[in-house]
Amino acid sequence: MRDVAVVGVGLSKHVSKRRDVNIAELVWEAVSAAYEDAGLTPGEVDGVITGNMPAFEGVNLPECWGAGHWGTYRKPLLRITTGGTTGGSVGHGAFYAVASGLFDTVIAIAFEKQSDGDSTAGLNTVILADIAALLGFGVDPSLLLAFGGGAVGIAVYQASSYMKSSGCTTHHLDKVSVLCRTNAAKNPHAHLQQPGLTPDDVAKTDLMQYPLRFGHVCPASDGACAMILTTGERARKLTDRPAYIRSVASCSDEGALIGIGGSGTLNVDPGRQESCKLAAARAYEHAGIKDPRNEIDLAEPYAPFAHQLLMFYERLLLCDEGEAPAVLNSGSMEMAGELPVCPSGGVISTNAIGASALERIAEAAMQIMGRAGEHQVQKDVHKAVAHGWGGMVNLNVVAVLADTPRG
Amino acid sequence: MNKEVAVIGYAQTLYEEDADASREMLTLRAAREALVSAGLKREDVSTVVTATNDYLDGRTISNMRTVEPSGASQKDESKVEMDGAFAALYAIMRILSGFHDVAMVIGVSLASVYATYLPGIMILDPTWDRERGLLNEVSAAALQANCYMREYGVSDEQIASVSAKNLDNAARNPLALRQMPGLSVEQVLDSRMLYSPIRELNAWPATDGACAVVLASGKTAAKAEKPVWVKGVGLCHDSYLTERPLAVMESLKLAAEACYKQAGITDPASQIDLAEIHENFAHEELMAYEALGFCEEGKGGELIESGITQIDGGLPVNASGGALGANAVCATGLARIAEAAMQVVGEAGDHQVPGVKTALAHGQSGPCAQDNVVFILGGD
Amino acid sequence: MEYKEETTSIQGTWPLEQWRWKHETSVLAKKFLEALKDKKIIGLKCPGCGLVYVPPKPYCRCLSIPDEWVEVKDTAVITTYTFTGSWSFGGRLEGTGAPLVIAGVMYDGSDTQTLAILDGVDPDDVAVGKRTRVKWPENPQGGINDIMHSELI
Ligand SMILES: [Zn+2]
């Protein structure tokens, strides 16, 4: 297999409502920044992998009219969309494009302009089709929103079961929000920047639905991310320290809407996330990593809800199950810690949904390349893991990056 | 490409106007049959790439509930939101990378669940085109057809003869939806006008259906009973329909060039034994002849008149009936791959063309064939 | 954020009501709902891997088609839960004002879970792993609302 490396990363400014740009222009901010970061021009890229969550903007295949603005004129293009994991899947697609030998240099582009549409409506279309089935079962429609409406509806069940199994308390959730939002304050691309935030501040926010408070939940952002990947050989000519993607793996489990499809689901515990563990194990194996706990220097788990940062830290095999709350208390996850987690501020601070999972890979790459600026962690980052989560609580994508190729 | 990836199994569901089955069950049927065709079990598949579209399915993250019926449970699954032929290209990438050995590719949609042209309207530029209601997939294709016809002097009859050929071929394909044995050019020209010059029989029929293809690495495929090798692939995206000349399929031309280079095709008309073209509209098949190098630019009309692309001609095109015979969006291009492979294996039954060694399959996505992908398949 | 220039928005539409969906549940649902009238919960067992789906599901992860009806108990184990006050994502819940406790429950004999409301239960008393029993209405109507309510045992 060929070596694949990241040589350039670009992010747009992320805020709630980017009224000053349209979708194509928003994406161009990230794309042009990536070209600049890589020292390449659009003409030097020979393929494009792109994706977003189209229901959030109310547009189908937006690259049909948008891609013309991204320097992709008459290039090969693949659109890959998988919900919350879209960005990760786009990153994986770009990896495979280069690894396959069919393409040498590709750009991965993922974005979401949530303010263009109605994200709650977008999320509800996740289950509208299933609701149609449920009505066939005679369910009272007024209760459906409480049962599963929107992502929060799913996340609360997941949080409850995770907290039960791990001993994580709401106090830990408060601390996760503080960790991420204070890190975000150092990241110019982050959306919710809250320097000086305290756990008490978070605990005082309104209860959304037990156990999650508003302070534990991501914002809805407008934003885009682009990443340029090329062969190891070309990467070494472009930069002294490329970020090699050693492996990618994804795993799909059954939809875990807890039977809301009227069809039952085996995914009885949405907190178990077996598919994340499987994806992580496969990715580490392909990357030649035998002992992730000691070998991984930095993690970017996809955690739009506070409990998920801890849950996925465990499911990414970085500690034993149930241990993450203690790891959080130890300070090891902080920017100056032993295994910094989400120095970018994570998804809980910035969530342009389709872009978020690509941003995890991009942030890990920036840390390895030493290009993270103010939120560059103190330690030398040799190996990092980037994760994405989505679907009906059932899709997980994992990428392992390093400062050296697989060897 | 030299024996690196092969098609080792394929299956299509019956194409219907209003299937008495859900998307999930169509997916399940196609997946199960494709595994039987490949002589494999679910456990042998390491990655699944589905092709569905959130707007066609009326649900965000349209691949969510297809995880189990596609056999992807706890496997490395992804979704290409384009035609299944593009998903097949992604699966090929995954295999060529060395990370995966056997890939299942599935495209599925049910036209009976969506208002026929609505998902296509949702593709249009939301600022300038969508809300004005002038453009949809058919009216856009009509603009393209007129542009092409005027540029090269192609006649209505020449375009109608594509429909007559494909729908007559469809009558030999038991899975096709629109089977019209002995259809004449006159009958096509008498069919209902949609948007001039496009008539009902020049346009794809709204279809429910699914197609699945199993691909494998060279090592595994060598052990398969009937591997059909992927000799070349090419892919290209064009500008939005209002920003490019519509009389030529430039992105198909570029995709074909890349594909031919890999496959060692220098004279497509003589080296290719059969082609399965994804023609959403009859005129697109003529445009594709030109872009694929079967004839010179502007000579597509003459080529169909020559009879070469008839099922008993020298270069049969769409012996299956093509997209005019059945078009389950997202499955159509993938079905071209399945049909081309079937012809190489010699399993096409009544629509089998004798002696097919090298076959071309084409898939498209986006309004006016904005994205194109081309494959060359061969038996050895 | 400061905008350099005035921006323009163009309103778009998305007629979602023009989509309809197809599910196999109709036939399966009928049988499942009929059984509820007799205060019985039935599920479909997969011939390939033996998993029991409640409510019934027409396809299985192992690519087999579940086809054997089996009866499960109306007692269950809580797999997860949440509770909410008067506010819920996407809309206001009308009701008594008491917290609404919703649990994921797996009926004994089933391998899947579904949701139920735990009536009159203090949120502090709910826990993953606790057991519940369906509170059947006096005259079940043959709708899934018949098993909408459960109590702790
Ligand atoms: Zn089974």
Side-chain angles (χ1 to χ4, degrees), chain C residues 46-51 53 59-66:
Chain C
C46 173
C49 61
L51 292 166
Y53 288 87
Y59 52 84
C60 181
R61 58 160 72 154
C62 76
L63 288 185
S64 300
I65 296 175

Side-chain angles (χ1 to χ4, degrees), chain A residues 302-323:
Chain A
Y302 185 107
F305 305 101
H307 70 279
Q308 292 181 330
L309 185 132
L310 303 174
M311 184 183 75
F312 284 128
Y313 188 87
E314 295 172 9
R315 306 299 178 263
L316 290 169
L317 312 176
L318 298 174
C319 68
D320 281 347
E321 289 195 16
E323 228 182 40

Side-chain angles (χ1 to χ4, degrees), chain A residues 64-65, chain B residues 115-145 195-196 198 240-244 246 281 366-368 370, chain C residues 13:
Chain A
C64 282
W65 42 267
Chain B
T116 308
Y117 300 120
L118 210 44
I121 290 170
M122 301 298 279
I123 299 174
L124 298 168
D125 180 324
T127 313
W128 306 120
D129 291 335
R130 187 163 110 192
E131 298 303 318
R132 288 201 294 180
L134 301 176
L135 274 178
N136 56 46
E137 274 165 306
V138 188
S139 69
L143 299 175
Q144 181 191 36
Y195 286 85
S196 164
I198 295 194
Y240 184 59
L241 73 148
T242 58
E243 297 168 5
R244 65 180 145 107
L246 287 175
F281 301 92
C368 294
Q370 190 170 354
Chain C
T13 49

Side-chain angles (χ1 to χ4, degrees), chain A residues 58 64 79 125 250 252 282, chain B residues 60 74 76 81 130 237 370:
Chain A
C64 282
R79 172 177 177 78
T125 61
S250 79
S252 297
R282 288 172 195 163
Chain B
T60 293
Q74 302 207 327
D76 199 319
E81 196 165 45
R130 187 163 110 192
H237 170 86
Q370 190 170 354

Side-chain angles (χ1 to χ4, degrees), chain A residues 1-2 22-23 49 52-65 67-69 72-84 89 92-103 121-123 125-130 246-255 257 259-265 272 274-275 278 282 286 390-395 397 406, chain B residues 1 4 23-24 46-48 50 52-65 67-68 72-83 85-87 89-100 118-130 233-241 243-245 248-251 254 258 262 365-367 370-372:
Chain A
M1 194 205 85
R2 291 165 113 188
N22 68 18
I23 293 174
I49 315 287
N52 71 317
M53 268 182 94
F56 283 19
E57 288 93 344
V59 294
N60 190 8
L61 312 184
E63 71 284 354
C64 282
W65 42 267
H69 299 261
T72 60
Y73 181 63
R74 285 182 180 154
K75 300 254 188 219
L77 178 147
L78 269 188
R79 172 177 177 78
I80 298 174
T81 69
T82 56
S89 300
H92 290 198
F95 168 84
Y96 284 120
V98 177
S100 70
L102 291 177
F103 300 93
L123 268 175
T125 61
V126 172
I127 55 166
L128 262 181
D130 294 322
R246 284 205 182 175
S247 69
V248 300
S250 79
C251 187
S252 297
D253 222 321
E254 336 224 328
L257 257 185
I260 199 145
S263 52
T265 173
R272 209 172 63 190
E274 204 65 38
S275 60
L278 281 168
R282 288 172 195 163
H286 282 303
M392 225 185 299
V393 206
N394 60 332
L395 312 178
V397 294
R406 208 154 50 133
Chain B
M1 275 193 264
E4 292 169 78
R23 189 181 66 121
E24 289 75 14
S46 74
T47 181
V48 176
T50 53
T52 53
N53 175 292
D54 291 8
Y55 283 82
L56 293 173
D57 291 349
R59 55 166 84 212
T60 293
I61 326 179
S62 53
N63 56 321
M64 263 184 332
R65 284 222 180 270
V67 170
E68 300 105 294
S73 184
Q74 302 207 327
K75 295 194 186 293
D76 199 319
E77 181 256 11
S78 198
K79 177 187 107 187
V80 169
E81 196 165 45
M82 299 172 95
D83 186 275
F86 297 84
L89 178 68
Y90 187 26
I92 289 169
M93 283 182 191
R94 286 180 160 233
I95 290 170
L96 288 176
S97 75
F99 274 63
H100 297 284
L118 210 44
I121 290 170
M122 301 298 279
I123 299 174
L124 298 168
D125 180 324
T127 313
W128 306 120
D129 291 335
R130 187 163 110 192
V233 294
L235 168 74
C236 191
H237 170 86
D238 212 329
S239 309
Y240 184 59
L241 73 148
E243 297 168 5
R244 65 180 145 107
V248 285
M249 286 188 174
E250 191 62 30
S251 71
L254 292 169
Q262 285 172 17
S365 176
Q370 190 170 354
D371 292 272
N372 287 285

